[in-house]
Amino acid sequence: MRILSGIQPSGTPHIGNYFGMMRQAVELQERGETFLFIADYHALTTSPDPQVLRENVFNLALDFLACGLDVSKTVFFRQSDVPQVTELMWILNNITTVGFLERAHSYKDKIAKGFVPNAGLFTYPVLMAADILLYQSDLVPVGKDQKQHLEITRDLAIRFNNDFGETFRIPDGIIPEKVAVVPGIDGQKMSKSYHNTIPIFGTEKAIRKIVMSVVTDSTPMEAPKDPEKCNVVALYKLVASEEEVEEMKRRYRAGNYGYGHAKQALFEKLWTYFAPMRERRAALAADPDYVWDVLRDGAKRASEEAEKTMDRVRRAVGLR
Ligand code: ADP
Ligand code: TRP
């Protein structure tokens, strides 16, 4: 079984990315042959500064390796190191109608957020379909926001197979049930675009400051509090054991336990939870050549697969 996923290099990853996606990718590498890539072609759709893009790619590679990605089990690579994906995208463009893409939510959302409606943004789902189909993926773990992209991919694969003969495997998406949406420090969905994130990696001082700024209501210290409505408790659940969560809830209900205390407990847990990953990241950061070598090796493996598929695709459509 082949499992594939991609993530955009769009800035400092946060604990929402970790619990919503990165942890799952690391767990899945035990279940089949995993392909994971850094989607730098996709990142171009929102016109990043070139130097920032380069740094983001490197940092994301560090983050994933630090979070437990095992390169003996996972083919880990940079999307643009296998340019066949853009060739496949071009071919898929010709079986994709404009009306079909106009219905994509993510395009409409991005435009609503003020991004320039360039053709890259519009055809983003076709590039994503090419990513998935190029490597003949069976399973694609993605967040809820990517569900429609997966449906588009399946549609295009079926259409291509109908028009040109069996070429692509039809992928299935899996959306993790375990982790719902991780809330940000303001209680909305944690997201880079809402500036409400807790980064996975950072200095003790910086992370502590962010945790201390988690929004709570103004119930006084002495008064009993409702743990089910509190953002601090919701975040604590991600990193503490069940008993520890129960204990915190009990203190909330009993009163004489302030939000400051709860935030302090949350910070301690978070800091220890990510400690082994922080250490690995520091070691890797000291050896950038190793990180680039890993990505190069991954690209070599991925290219072999890509060429196999492209050979069939080119023949199927009459380019050979
Ligand atoms: P952001 O919203 O910060 O820009 P991305 O859209 O780049 O994050 O998401 C990268 C991955 O992390 C996706 O698989 C997405 O589903 C997951 N993810 C992002 N934010 C959260 C969250 N708050 N809770 C759970 N998963 C999340
Ligand atoms: N669009 C995905 C996201 O923003 C990233 C991505 C690009 C991807 N290509 C993919 C995910 C292929 C899964 C499979 O999260």
Side-chain angles (χ1 to χ4, degrees):
M1 184 176 64
R2 173 145 322 146
I3 303 160
L4 170 133
S5 198
I7 183 163
Q8 280 203 53
S10 51
T12 314
H14 51 76
I15 65 168
N17 298 138
Y18 180 79
F19 290 104
M21 193 268 180
M22 297 168 82
R23 184 173 67 172
Q24 209 207 3
V26 169
E27 282 169 4
L28 277 170
Q29 61 188 1
E30 308 302 329
R31 282 186 43 197
E33 189 190 10
T34 311
F35 277 53
L36 184 74
F37 63 90
I38 301 177
D40 56 347
Y41 278 143
H42 275 112
L44 290 180
T45 58
T46 50
S47 317
D49 173 82
Q51 186 52 26
V52 171
L53 177 59
R54 257 187 297 272
E55 285 167 14
N56 283 350
V57 167
F58 181 74
N59 284 327
L60 188 59
L62 277 184
D63 297 331
F64 260 108
L65 293 169
C67 287
L69 194 87
D70 178 349
V71 290
S72 70
K73 295 182 183 137
T74 296
V75 178
F76 184 41
F77 62 104
R78 173 166 62 170
Q79 185 184 29
S80 65
D81 280 338
V82 190
Q84 286 91 332
V85 75
T86 58
E87 182 187 357
L88 179 57
M89 181 206 185
W90 179 252
I91 292 170
L92 294 176
N93 267 339
N94 302 292
I95 58 162
T96 311
T97 62
V98 170
F100 186 58
L101 291 181
E102 275 169 347
R103 290 194 287 276
H105 310 305
S106 69
Y107 177 70
K108 287 185 261 188
D109 291 350
K110 290 254 170 65
I111 303 305
K113 278 188 193 154
F115 285 105
V116 176
N118 62 42
L121 211 50
F122 188 59
T123 52
Y124 184 115
V126 191
L127 181 58
M128 182 154 160
D131 285 324
I132 296 170
L133 302 177
L134 185 62
Y135 302 107
Q136 304 285 357
S137 318
D138 299 295
L139 269 191
V140 185
V142 286
K144 248 199 203 124
D145 53 334
Q146 299 296 315
K147 197 167 160 245
Q148 194 189 29
H149 286 156
L150 213 80
E151 282 156 11
I152 293 175
T153 303
R154 289 169 55 89
D155 271 16
L156 291 180
I158 292 168
R159 197 173 310 167
F160 189 98
N161 286 353
N162 277 338
D163 290 355
F164 300 105
E166 281 305 309
T167 308
F168 296 122
R169 256 188 242 173
I170 311 297
D172 269 318
I174 41 170
I175 292 162
E177 298 299 334
K178 257 193 307 191
V179 179
V181 172
V182 174
I185 57 171
D186 58 356
Q188 294 189 80
K189 172 192 176 261
M190 186 176 289
S191 171
K192 272 164 287 213
S193 28
Y194 300 146
H195 306 288
N196 63 355
T197 67
I198 302 177
I200 307 173
F201 300 108
T203 63
E204 186 167 352
K205 195 170 161 216
I207 308 268
R208 187 191 298 273
K209 192 167 166 221
I210 294 172
V211 171
M212 287 308 181
S213 68
V214 172
V215 176
T216 49
D217 62 26
S218 52
T219 316
M221 223 281 278
E222 317 75 55
K225 301 172 183 65
D226 182 357
E228 305 306 333
K229 284 197 190 131
C230 183
N231 217 1
V232 181
V233 179
L235 290 165
Y236 193 65
K237 281 181 188 164
L238 297 167
V239 285
S241 68
E242 259 175 59
E243 296 77 50
E244 288 162 337
V245 174
E246 282 314 310
E247 176 59 19
M248 182 179 277
K249 286 185 180 173
R250 199 189 54 72
R251 291 182 182 204
Y252 264 67
R253 293 192 188 103
N256 273 327
Y257 183 71
Y259 290 122
H261 297 120
K263 289 179 189 177
Q264 183 59 32
L266 169 61
F267 168 76
E268 299 294 340
K269 276 283 152 199
L270 263 176
W271 190 250
T272 4
Y273 188 94
F274 289 107
M277 298 172 222
R278 212 161 33 240
E279 279 164 31
R280 255 198 312 266
R281 194 180 192 283
L284 288 160
D287 191 2
D289 288 347
Y290 169 79
V291 176
W292 288 118
D293 280 350
V294 161
L295 292 177
R296 248 191 309 272
D297 276 359
K300 226 164 97 194
R301 275 280 291 114
S303 295
E304 286 164 19
E305 285 303 311
E307 262 313 310
K308 275 192 231 161
T309 304
M310 284 319 294
D311 187 53
R312 290 171 64 183
V313 170
R314 291 176 197 127
R315 282 171 204 280
V317 299
L319 291 172
R320 291 288 179 280

